[in-house]
Amino acid sequence: QLQASGGGLVQPGGSLRLSCAASGFTFDNYAISWFRQAPGKKREGVSCISRGGGTTNSLDSVKGRFIISRDNTENTVYLRMINLKLEDTAVYYCAGSKVGCLGRLWRDDDRYDYWGQGTLVTVSS
């Protein structure tokens, strides 16, 4: 299973770090992605990191602001978010897949075997 945490209320321009802790499966066999779903909108892929951490991919609107990383010794993936904007407000989910992060396939949520429960990020002044 996956356990997402670290969400909260932050002002525009602020920062947060989300964590995704894994248990019950072989963590380093899986690419891990963060998805988000804003109220009234479809869930979208935000950022992906490959099994070994050597490949990452991100949504264009978060490039340069969101950094994904992983620690396979701790079975944890992180999403460092800086310069947060109002439009980043959403519930953030982490998910695990054996599909890598190249191209656009990582953004297809049907390809994920494991999902965390979500953590709410609210950007508001």
Side-chain angles (χ1 to χ4, degrees), residues 14-102:
S15 62
L16 282 174
R17 188 180 78 161
L18 306 184
S19 298
C20 174
S23 63
F25 64 96
T26 306
F27 181 67
D28 55 8
N29 281 353
Y30 286 78
I32 303 293
S33 292
W34 287 95
F35 285 78
R36 68 184 179 187
Q37 188 166 21
K41 294 190 175 182
K42 186 179 177 183
R43 186 163 58 189
E44 64 178 355
V46 175
S47 195
C48 178
I49 188 164
S50 62
R51 294 177 296 175
T55 300
T56 62
N57 210 338
S58 294
L59 190 65
D60 285 347
S61 62
V62 307
K63 285 180 179 176
R65 300 189 299 118
F66 290 12
I67 300 171
I68 190 169
S69 62
R70 69 189 292 162
D71 183 343
N72 284 352
T73 66
E74 296 290 335
N75 286 2
T76 303
V77 167
Y78 303 98
L79 186 68
R80 174 71 171 161
M81 307 184 293
I82 64 172
N83 191 21
L84 282 160
K85 302 179 180 182
L86 297 175
E87 54 265 36
D88 294 320
T89 294
V91 177
Y92 284 72
Y93 302 87
C94 56
S97 171
K98 289 193 172 180
V99 176
C101 298
L102 297 177

Side-chain angles (χ1 to χ4, degrees), residues 82-124:
I82 64 172
N83 191 21
L84 282 160
K85 302 179 180 182
L86 297 175
E87 54 265 36
D88 294 320
T89 294
V91 177
Y92 284 72
Y93 302 87
C94 56
S97 171
K98 289 193 172 180
V99 176
C101 298
L102 297 177
R104 295 175 62 86
L105 291 178
W106 67 273
R107 297 176 66 179
D108 182 356
D109 56 10
D110 287 342
R111 297 180 178 271
Y112 287 81
D113 301 315
Y114 297 100
W115 287 88
Q117 84 288 3
T119 185
L120 176 63
V121 172
T122 303
V123 184
S124 174

